[in-house]
Amino acid sequence: MKTGIKGIRRVSAAVVTAGAVLTAGAFAAPAQAATLPTPTITAAGGFVMNNSTGQSLFTKAADTRRSTGSTTKIMTARVVLAQSNLDLDSKVTVQKAYSDYIVDNNWASSAHLIVGDKVTVRQLLYGLMLPSGCDAAYALADKFGSGSTRAARVKSFIGKMNTTAKSLGLTNTHFDSFDGIGHGANYSTPRDLTKLASSAMKYSTFRTVVKTKSTKQKVTTKSGGYRYMEWTNTNPLLGTYAGTIGVKTGSGPEAKFCLAFAATRNGKTVIGTVLASSSVSNRTADAKKLLDYAFKK
C-alpha cells in the first residue's frame, strides 16, 4: 500500500504535537494554592474564632493577660441574664450613689441616669451596653448582688462575675470591678474575652441589645411622670461593616482601646477580640481586618 507525502506529513505532525504535550507536562510546575496572608494589627493582642465550631482563625498574644476596660461589661450583662427567674421588666430606682460614682471616676462613661427615676432591668442593659454606662453597671450590681449594704451587694456581684468566669473555663480572667474601672486585678485575654462574648451571645436579650445602634427608652420619673432616655451604641462596626451583630467597646489609660466583635455572613458567624489597640480608629481597623481574614478562611 502506498502512502502519500501529505499523509506522512500529517502523521509526523501528530507525533511532534504529542511529544510536545508530553514534554510540557513533564516540566510544568504543579498549581499552587494561594496562601491567605495573615493580617497585621496594631493591637497588642487579638483572637478570632468560628463561633459555631470554636476553631481558632487568628491569634496574637491571645493568652496574655491585659486590662479590659469596658469590655468587662460583657460579663456584667452575662451575670444578670443568668439569674434564675429573671424579670427584665422589674424596676430599679436610680440612686445618688450611681451618679456620684460617675463624678468620682474620670474614666467612667455614663448612661446619664437621673436620680429618682425608675428604670427596668432591660433598660439598664441597654444603658450598660450601648453608651457603656458605668452608672447602669453599678445599678445592676446593686440590684443583683446579695447583702444588707450596697458595698456588700457590689462585692457579691463581682464574686458572681469571677465564679462565672471559672465556670466558663476562663483561666486567665479575673474581675475586681463591675464595669472595668479596675483596681489592679481586672484582666482577661483576647481568647478568654472572645469565649465570654460567645457565651453571652447565647442569650437572646443580649443579642438584641448589642446589635442595636440606638434606642429611645421611656422611663418613669421620681414624680410619677415620664421621660425619654436616648442611647447610641459605641460600637463603630454597626452600620459600617456588613453583617455586624455586636459586641462591645472598651478603653482606659491601662487598657488603651479594646473591642470584642462579631459578625455573620453567609451563615458563618465569626467572633473575636482585640486588646490594647493604639486608638479608636485603629481598633476598628484591626477588627475589620480580622473579620475579613476570618471570613475568607
Side-chain angles (χ1 to χ4, degrees):
M1 184 177 71
K2 292 182 179 180
T3 303
I5 297 299
K6 290 183 180 179
I8 293 172
R9 286 174 180 168
R10 280 197 297 268
V11 171
S12 299
V15 171
V16 170
T17 303
V21 170
L22 289 171
T23 302
F27 291 99
Q32 296 292 325
T35 301
L36 191 63
T38 303
T40 300
I41 58 174
T42 62
F47 179 78
V48 184
M49 72 179 189
N50 182 315
N51 194 50
S52 298
T53 64
Q55 179 192 4
S56 172
L57 302 174
F58 173 90
T59 63
K60 176 184 177 180
D63 300 307
T64 300
R65 297 175 178 180
R66 300 184 190 279
S67 178
T68 55
S70 286
T71 57
T72 296
K73 290 167 182 156
I74 298 171
M75 180 61 91
T76 310
R78 171 68 172 71
V79 169
V80 170
L81 290 168
Q83 300 299 305
S84 58
N85 303 313
L86 176 65
D87 180 4
L88 289 167
D89 296 315
S90 64
K91 292 188 175 181
V92 175
T93 301
V94 178
Q95 303 296 313
K96 186 174 181 294
Y98 311 156
S99 58
D100 286 347
Y101 179 80
I102 298 295
V103 174
D104 293 340
N105 290 276
N106 292 332
W107 275 86
S109 45
S110 178
H112 302 291
L113 300 178
I114 296 173
V115 177
D117 280 4
K118 291 181 174 59
V119 295
T120 66
V121 171
R122 190 191 312 275
Q123 289 170 335
L124 285 173
L125 288 169
Y126 277 100
L128 174 77
M129 300 304 288
L130 272 65
S132 198
C134 296
D135 44 357
Y138 197 165
L140 289 167
D142 194 8
K143 166 75 172 175
F144 291 101
S146 303
S148 57
T149 65
R150 183 173 293 117
R153 290 190 292 275
V154 167
K155 183 178 180 180
S156 164
F157 186 86
I158 295 169
K160 290 182 180 182
M161 294 170 71
N162 286 313
T163 298
T164 302
K166 187 175 181 180
S167 71
L168 294 174
L170 310 182
T171 55
N172 287 307
T173 297
H174 185 268
F175 301 104
D176 66 3
S177 74
F178 49 74
D179 59 358
I181 299 179
H183 308 283
N186 203 91
Y187 57 80
S188 188
T189 68
R191 191 189 306 272
D192 275 9
L193 267 178
T194 301
K195 290 180 178 179
L196 170 59
S198 178
S199 173
M201 290 291 274
K202 293 177 180 178
Y203 293 87
S204 60
T205 298
F206 186 88
R207 293 195 303 273
T208 298
V209 169
V210 298
K211 73 178 182 183
T212 301
K213 285 181 67 177
S214 62
T215 187
K216 188 175 183 179
Q217 299 283 332
K218 185 178 181 179
V219 304
T220 305
T221 64
K222 186 177 182 178
S223 62
Y226 67 89
R227 78 172 89 246
Y228 286 99
M229 302 297 292
E230 296 187 46
W231 296 310
T232 301
N233 204 317
T234 58
N235 184 354
L237 295 177
L238 292 167
T240 68
Y241 190 89
T244 297
I245 55 174
V247 176
K248 184 74 186 70
T249 60
S251 62
E254 185 181 355
K256 297 183 181 178
F257 299 93
C258 313
L259 180 59
F261 52 88
T264 299
R265 288 184 179 178
N266 300 318
K268 179 181 179 179
T269 298
V270 170
I271 191 163
T273 301
V274 289
L275 293 181
S277 194
S278 55
S279 68
V280 170
S281 59
N282 280 337
R283 76 178 171 193
T284 305
D286 285 344
K288 288 181 177 180
K289 281 183 188 178
L290 295 184
L291 285 167
D292 285 344
Y293 176 73
F295 280 123
K296 291 174 184 174
K297 289 205 75 172

